[in-house]
C-alpha cells in the first residue's frame, strides 16, 4: 500500500520524507511529483513502506501534524482511476 502526503512544503525533499517515515518502518519508495512544464514540486508526495502496520502508525501519527511550517495531510493513497485525470489535448489552429 502507498501513503499520500499532501499540503507539503515546496522545500521538502525525498530525503526529508524518507527520514520522517523511516521512524515508522522501512521506506521502500518515495515519489515527489513535479509539474511537467515548470519542473516545480506539486506540494504532495507518495511514500511506500514495507508493511501495512508501519503505514498505519505513520498515518495515525502524522496526519494533521505540522511539518516544515505546513499542516500535512497523510492518508492511504487511492488507486489511480482509468484515465488518470489527464485533460484532453486541444489542437489550436494558427489564427493569423
Amino acid at each position: 500500500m502507498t501513503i499520500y502526503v499532501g499540503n507539503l512544503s515546496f522545500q521538502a525533499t525525498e530525503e526529508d520524507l524518507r527520514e520522517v517515515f523511516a521512524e515508522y518502518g522501512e521506506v521502500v519508495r518515495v515519489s515527489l511529483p513535479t509539474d511537467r512544464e515548470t519542473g516545480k514540486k506539486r506540494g504532495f508526495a507518495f511514500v511506500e513502506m514495507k508493511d501495512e502496520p508501519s503505514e498505519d502508525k505513520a498515518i495515525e501519527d502524522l496526519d494533521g501534524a505540522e511539518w516544515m511550517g505546513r499542516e500535512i495531510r497523510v492518508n492511504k493513497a487511492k488507486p489511480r482511476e482509468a484515465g488518470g485525470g489527464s485533460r484532453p489535448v486541444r489542437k489550436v489552429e494558427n489564427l493569423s
Side-chain angles (χ1 to χ4, degrees):
M1 196 64 165
T2 302
I3 298 171
Y4 168 82
V5 185
N7 199 33
L8 277 179
S9 165
F10 294 105
Q11 280 69 49
T13 65
E14 286 185 21
E15 188 56 40
D16 292 331
L17 287 159
R18 277 188 188 281
E19 195 175 297
V20 169
F21 282 86
E23 294 179 24
Y24 297 93
E26 185 179 336
V27 176
V28 175
R29 184 178 63 90
V30 175
S31 174
L32 195 56
T34 55
D35 183 271
R36 218 172 303 176
E37 293 178 17
T38 66
K40 293 182 180 181
K41 295 175 187 167
R42 296 179 64 195
F44 64 91
F46 297 98
V47 178
E48 185 179 338
M49 299 188 74
K50 187 172 181 177
D51 58 73
E52 200 162 344
S54 298
E55 289 180 346
D56 292 340
K57 182 66 174 152
I59 290 168
E60 180 183 322
D61 287 359
L62 296 174
D63 186 39
E66 187 174 320
W67 188 56
M68 298 182 95
R70 310 281 297 260
E71 187 177 310
I72 60 173
R73 293 276 140 237
V74 183
N75 51 51
K76 290 196 186 274
K78 296 178 179 151
R80 192 175 214 177
E81 293 182 17
S86 61
R87 291 179 271 182
V89 176
R90 291 186 349 206
K91 185 175 180 181
V92 178
E93 299 292 330
N94 187 349
L95 301 175
S96 55

